[in-house]
Amino acid sequence: GVSAHWLAWRHYIARVDSFGVLTRFDLREIVGMNPDGRDEVMGLARDDAGRLLASTRKGVLVLDKGDHRFVREGLRGTPTAYHVVRDAEAHYFAAGDGWYRLTRDSTRADVLERVQVETNQIEISPGMVMPTGAVDSFGAAWLPTAKVVQRRGVRIFETDDVITRLAVDQDNGIWVSTQQEGVFRIVRNRVDMEGILPGGGQNAYGILGTPDGIWVGLLDVPAFVLFRGGLPVRTVPQPIPWVVGRDGAGETWLGGEGLCRVTGEGCEQVDVPSRSIRLIYEDRDGRFWIGGNEGLWVREPENRAWRELQTGQTKTPWVRGALELEDGTLLFATAGDGV
């Protein structure tokens, strides 16, 4: 009955309860994960029975709620599971050759069935980013691989390029970014727009939907661009447009080589101690956090000065994500120093 958060890094999965007590599972001992670091956990989700589902390079693992033991659920010859997405109908796992749906057969046994055979695939090497899926407002899962976007198994979009990002806007438009061919918007299961901008539109990062529209960071423009109804309506130049964030007051923040707050007329620059921002986060107490390739800083509501926090032993503790627990404990994910 105690609520908990689950974390995953490398070959570990950990449970942190509401009292801050951490229980760690070493998957090298449970399923024989390779300790060289390439056997990683890459996604976590809960099913309706309260079990924890983990997508890993060793397949899909299930942690039963009753005995807290991991059980190996193989992908039937496809050992690597990159991400997990849950929509109104099922859980979906991304693998190197496409997506798999987790269902149960007549005996209530778990079955992983292929959603659709991927015909235009590439080899996913360790460290390569597999695009994550998203769920639209109708509760349907959109499932991208490196080459194809599906809607619950129906192929909607395919490219000879490599897909890097997928996001859903407030109008249920599906945004797909590719490395070379630009950014595409899918509406009602067809490509509504491609290229987006005549002078660029490739390699989109920092995609975030807001009440005003969807912000997309385009590395080759380079700028943050606000789209409304599928059309670009505003541009904020930024050498490396990397991350978009929202604070408790509903303000939109844009970060990269600097930080600015979106206003009615432009984007107000904020003096920050880092030129490499990858995290924008505000906690429940109103403390404003930024992080990136140079460390982690916080600004208190009553004191606008930035204070740096030590995050690890390396010279470049790359901070990538944040999560606040029920008791106010803050967890920060880094590349190289763990959580």
Side-chain angles (χ1 to χ4, degrees):
V2 178
S3 61
H5 288 279
W6 290 86
L7 311 171
W9 69 101
R10 297 187 66 192
H11 47 267
Y12 296 106
I13 293 179
R15 179 182 185 272
V16 183
D17 65 23
S18 57
F19 302 106
V21 178
L22 184 145
T23 304
R24 189 177 70 174
F25 299 87
D26 189 339
L27 299 185
R28 295 174 298 181
E29 302 171 358
I30 299 173
V31 294
M33 273 194 167
N34 192 328
D36 66 3
R38 289 188 292 179
D39 285 348
E40 299 174 307
V41 182
M42 289 168 283
L44 295 173
R46 281 268 189 204
D47 68 5
D48 294 333
R51 302 178 307 170
L52 185 74
L53 309 175
S55 52
T56 80
R57 292 189 184 275
K58 299 290 283 189
V60 178
L61 308 177
V62 179
L63 177 62
D64 184 75
K65 186 177 181 180
D67 58 15
H68 281 183
R69 289 185 301 106
F70 277 102
V71 179
R72 171 79 177 275
E73 297 289 345
L75 275 180
R76 308 293 194 271
T78 307
T80 299
Y82 293 95
H83 301 300
V84 57
V85 175
R86 179 180 183 176
D87 72 0
E89 293 185 353
H91 286 86
Y92 300 87
F93 292 88
D97 64 344
W99 284 81
Y100 288 74
R101 180 189 295 112
L102 181 66
T103 61
R104 289 189 172 182
D105 61 18
S106 58
T107 66
R108 301 295 293 169
D110 292 317
V111 176
L112 281 159
E113 60 181 13
R114 190 189 292 258
V115 176
Q116 181 176 330
V117 176
E118 178 63 76
T119 59
N120 189 6
Q121 61 179 302
I122 64 172
E123 182 68 23
I124 305 297
S125 60
M128 181 175 179
V129 176
M130 184 84 166
T132 57
V135 178
D136 62 26
S137 63
F138 299 112
W142 288 80
L143 310 174
T145 66
K147 296 290 187 180
V148 172
V149 175
Q150 309 167 33
R151 184 183 187 271
R152 282 183 176 163
V154 178
R155 186 187 302 260
I156 304 298
F157 174 83
E158 186 167 358
T159 177
D160 291 328
D161 198 1
V162 176
I163 296 171
T164 57
R165 292 290 187 276
L166 182 142
V168 182
D169 66 21
Q170 75 275 16
D171 299 318
N172 264 332
I174 308 300
W175 294 75
V176 181
S177 165
T178 63
Q179 286 186 348
Q180 301 296 328
E181 294 182 353
V183 180
F184 300 82
R185 182 174 185 257
I186 301 169
V187 177
R188 298 183 181 89
N189 293 353
R190 65 179 179 85
V191 177
D192 174 62
M193 185 173 297
E194 56 186 83
I196 298 287
L197 296 174
Q202 303 169 9
N203 249 337
Y205 289 84
I207 300 177
L208 178 71
T210 72
D212 294 330
I214 187 165
W215 284 94
V216 182
L218 298 171
L219 291 181
D220 66 325
V221 175
F224 288 101
V225 181
L226 176 65
F227 293 92
R228 190 177 298 135
L231 298 176
V233 297
R234 191 171 178 182
T235 299
V236 176
Q238 170 61 243
I240 303 181
W242 200 265
V243 60
V244 184
R246 299 272 285 178
D247 62 21
E251 302 277 5
T252 300
W253 297 78
L254 310 178
E257 286 194 349
L259 178 70
C260 68
R261 180 180 63 87
V262 176
T263 63
E265 300 298 328
C267 199
E268 178 186 355
Q269 294 294 323
V270 176
D271 187 25
V272 290
S274 174
R275 304 299 296 174
S276 177
I277 296 175
R278 301 292 184 269
L279 167 73
I280 300 172
Y281 188 80
E282 184 177 278
D283 64 26
R284 291 195 295 268
D285 292 331
R287 293 176 297 183
F288 197 75
W289 301 81
I290 61 169
N293 293 0
E294 298 172 347
L296 177 67
W297 291 265
V298 62
R299 190 174 69 179
E300 305 286 343
E302 66 280 359
N303 184 357
R304 311 304 285 179
W306 294 100
R307 176 168 58 92
E308 184 176 8
L309 282 83
Q310 296 299 317
T311 55
Q313 300 301 317
T314 66
K315 294 182 180 180
T316 55
W318 295 359
V319 181
R320 291 294 185 266
L323 174 69
E324 186 172 6
L325 304 183
E326 286 85 351
D327 65 354
T329 299
L330 286 162
L331 305 176
F332 292 93
T334 72
D337 282 303
V339 177

